[in-house]
């Protein structure tokens, strides 16, 4: 796995996350998973709290694509750069 392919995956995950964020925002408001304004809070309107779902979904999609497109399959995820990415995700 090269640095270029890892960079491509990062950019792809960022793009997917950007595209999924509005849907996640709507889902969060529909489920009532929002942080409501209060006397000790700075915001003046409810803020959705499920934004991390878009990020996690984009990473899972990219890792699935990596496993599907790479000839080594799931063994690709055992490379040292991928291990570092997993630790960073945690």
């Amino acid at each position: 796995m090269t640095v270029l392919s890892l960079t491509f995956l990062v950019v792809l995950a960022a793009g997917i996350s950007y595209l999924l964020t509005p849907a996640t925002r709507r889902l969060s408001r529909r489920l009532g998973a929002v942080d409501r304004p209060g006397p000790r809070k700075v915001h003046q309107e409810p803020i959705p709290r499920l934004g991390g779902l878009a990020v996690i979904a984009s990473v899972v999609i990219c890792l699935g694509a990596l496993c599907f497109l790479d000839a080594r399959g799931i063994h690709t995820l055992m490379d040292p750069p991928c291990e570092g990415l997993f630790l960073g995700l945690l």
Side-chain angles (χ1 to χ4, degrees), residues 29-44:
R29 289 178 194 232
R30 187 174 302 140
L31 294 175
V34 294
D35 187 21
R36 307 218 184 273
R40 299 183 67 191
K41 300 192 178 167
V42 178
H43 54 279
Q44 301 299 317

Side-chain angles (χ1 to χ4, degrees), residues 2-81:
T2 65
V3 173
L4 183 62
S5 63
L6 284 176
T7 304
F8 173 73
L9 284 174
V10 168
V11 171
L12 181 64
I16 293 171
S17 178
Y18 179 76
L19 293 175
L20 288 177
T21 298
T24 305
R25 181 182 301 136
R26 286 190 300 273
L27 175 68
S28 181
R29 289 178 194 232
R30 187 174 302 140
L31 294 175
V34 294
D35 187 21
R36 307 218 184 273
R40 299 183 67 191
K41 300 192 178 167
V42 178
H43 54 279
Q44 301 299 317
E45 59 186 45
I47 303 294
R49 298 188 78 175
L50 297 179
L53 290 178
V55 175
I56 291 171
S58 67
V59 170
V60 168
I61 290 169
C62 287
L63 289 177
L66 175 67
C67 290
F68 181 72
L69 296 175
D70 194 353
R72 294 185 303 152
I74 195 73
H75 299 293
T76 302
L77 301 178
M78 303 307 165
D79 287 345

